[in-house]
Amino acid sequence: MTRGLLLGALLTAVAITAFAAPSGYVWHLPPGVMPPPVPADNPMSEAKVVLGRRLFYDADLSIDGTTSCGTCHEQHRAFTEGNASHPGVGGVPGKRNVMALGNVAYFTPLTWADPTLHSLETQMRVPVLGTNPVEMGMAGKENELARRLAADDCYRQMFQAAFPEEQGRIDMKTVGKALASFERTLISYDAPYDKARRGDRSAMSDAARRGEKIFSGLGCADCHSGVNFTDLKYHAIGLYDVDGKGGYPARDRGLIEISGKASDEGAMRTPSLRNVALTGPYMHDGSVKTLPDAARGHAGRETSGLKAKVAALDAGEMADLVAFLESLSDRSFVTNPDFALPRMACGKPNY
Ligand code: HEC
Ligand code: HEC
């Protein structure tokens, strides 16, 4: 073998191992897409994904058995919900708009405005145990949660299969690891936009192509950047110009609530625009109903000039911009049966 061939063979070997996790878990990814980062202490496995999926749709994770993760994160809406916010158990009003979960494995920090949330393993404690606002209402009831799950034979088998090294222990840690493993499989890179990038030029309409140019020309991609259309950074876009300076109303002041820094008033993590045409209403509080109005809502100190530029678009240009945003909708992601409520568990009907 020549030196060049040997090098080629080595490089191929490296490329393949990058896609097959050390645990042997095989990612089902479109060509050219790298697997997301996975924490060393929670390697992927099929057993964890299957368990995490069942937990995601199990309302026993809420105090009164009414609310599962899937209640607020609905697959057909790219794992959001169609209202401005969704109440927690007992009708406690929600505070923020439910976020989409497509490609969430690649996002850190998590949520609209909490720079301390870095892992899916711990993020799940917010809906399950959180009190601001109450979502699933299990604060102080971790043992009750474990007891409920352990009362089910099928869960005992599933935890054993997923966590043999921990003797199938059922607690918040293993529940969090399984949920995170399932969430990491929620990969969405098969929209018309992706197909066009992979060479199928007909996948995107002419309008969507023109809209893509408008999107970058206006500077939208300064913040909605990269393959997931987010820089994962915090910006105050001045959605509410309450004081003429892009200030925010007291009920939700964004990043400042955690950082305490005046400059973080109203700052939110740039939302990904993947599947955005399916995830309305928009913004951290769900106050904006349409994509054109979402584009027009960028008016604050960090988006100087954007409001005027968006206002200057004629109707055809705005339609093109919307066509581009619509080209980010991934039909196979929102209909993939692997992400839906599991019909079977342990060989028997589930529910
Ligand atoms: C009552 C509705 C509700 C329930 C139930 C719920 N969520 Fe959420 N979820 C939300 C809202 C609202 C946000 C945004 C929260 C914020 O930014 O303060 C969110 C954000 C997230 C995010 C962050 C996404 C990102 O891009 O950063 C993840 C991950 C997530 N939820 C997973 C889950 C999991 C797992 C469960 C079940 C254990 C769950 N959620 C249950 C409403 C809900
Ligand atoms: C300075 C950074 C920045 C720029 C530039 C920017 N955005 Fe945004 N965008 C954000 C942030 C941050 C939010 C969330 C704000 C909130 O909820 O308060 C957002 C929200 C959105 C939403 C709503 C998404 C959702 O899931 O709720 C859409 C749609 C959107 N932007 C499109 C655009 C378009 C189109 C442009 C160009 C005309 C643009 N953005 C320019 C940062 C930016």
Side-chain angles (χ1 to χ4, degrees):
M1 195 185 281
T2 69
R3 196 179 277 241
L5 271 178
L6 181 63
L7 186 65
L10 277 173
L11 285 175
T12 312
V14 168
I16 290 166
T17 39
F19 286 83
S23 57
Y25 179 81
V26 180
W27 289 96
H28 303 285
L29 298 165
V33 174
M34 288 301 283
V38 175
D41 65 352
N42 189 23
M44 293 293 285
S45 76
E46 201 54 47
K48 277 188 222 173
V49 173
V50 172
L51 171 59
R53 176 180 169 199
R54 187 171 182 223
L55 290 167
F56 188 88
Y57 286 103
D58 193 340
D60 259 356
L61 267 61
S62 67
I63 188 70
D64 59 0
T66 58
T67 309
S68 71
C69 310
T71 305
C72 295
H73 296 282
E74 299 175 324
Q75 184 185 11
H76 71 281
R77 298 179 193 275
F79 294 93
T80 61
E81 194 262 7
N83 295 292
S85 64
H86 188 93
V89 292
V92 182
K95 179 171 169 180
R96 290 184 178 148
N97 189 237
V98 179
M99 296 181 98
L101 299 183
N103 300 341
V104 71
Y106 297 85
F107 300 167
T108 177
L110 291 158
T111 73
W112 285 106
D114 187 346
T116 67
L117 277 180
H118 286 287
S119 85
L120 291 167
E121 281 77 0
T122 49
Q123 185 281 332
M124 56 70 78
R125 299 177 73 87
V126 177
V128 176
L129 307 175
T131 54
N132 178 31
V134 171
E135 292 186 316
M136 300 169 90
M138 293 299 266
K141 302 278 193 306
E142 290 92 330
N143 294 339
E144 160 71 8
L145 175 55
R147 194 193 57 70
R148 281 185 198 172
L149 297 175
D152 177 284
D153 273 346
C154 175
Y155 267 129
R156 286 204 304 277
Q157 289 172 39
M158 292 175 90
F159 275 90
Q160 189 59 51
F163 301 102
E165 71 290 353
E166 307 191 53
Q167 290 76 48
R169 205 182 62 244
I170 302 182
D171 62 9
M172 284 301 283
K173 254 191 151 155
T174 49
V175 169
K177 284 182 171 183
L179 279 169
S181 300
F182 170 63
E183 290 177 275
R184 290 197 174 97
T185 67
L186 301 177
I187 302 262
S188 177
Y189 290 119
D190 207 21
Y193 167 82
D194 301 295
K195 292 182 179 144
R197 282 193 16 139
R198 290 199 288 269
D200 175 4
R201 283 193 55 87
S202 66
M204 256 168 105
S205 66
D206 291 343
R209 280 175 200 290
R210 289 192 301 269
E212 185 175 9
K213 292 211 180 78
I214 296 172
F215 185 82
S216 38
L218 289 175
C220 308
D222 292 353
C223 302
H224 299 283
S225 57
V227 291
N228 287 313
F229 301 91
T230 169
D231 57 2
L232 297 169
K233 294 203 172 85
Y234 300 95
H235 303 278
I237 65 161
L239 186 59
Y240 300 103
D241 211 3
V242 286
D243 55 2
K245 292 184 248 155
Y248 269 59
R251 72 187 142 77
D252 191 348
R253 297 169 63 216
L255 189 57
I256 191 177
E257 290 180 5
I258 289 185
S259 73
K261 273 177 35 199
S263 57
D264 291 339
E265 169 98 40
M268 301 285 166
R269 193 196 77 192
T270 308
S272 165
L273 298 182
R274 289 247 162 217
N275 299 300
V276 73
L278 308 174
T279 67
Y282 301 112
M283 305 299 183
H284 67 280
D285 59 353
S287 60
V288 172
K289 293 208 169 50
T290 67
L291 288 170
D293 282 345
R296 292 180 191 113
H298 296 60
R301 55 183 187 278
E302 285 198 46
T303 54
S304 53
L306 192 59
K307 192 182 167 96
K309 286 189 229 159
V310 173
L313 297 178
D314 66 28
E317 288 165 331
M318 183 56 95
D320 290 347
L321 181 59
V322 170
F324 168 63
L325 295 173
E326 284 169 349
S327 79
L328 305 178
S329 296
D330 178 346
R331 290 280 144 207
S332 63
F333 176 64
V334 296
T335 55
N336 185 342
D338 291 347
F339 304 149
L341 182 137
R343 294 283 156 214
M344 305 286 280
C346 306
K348 295 201 203 91
N350 186 33
Y351 308 109

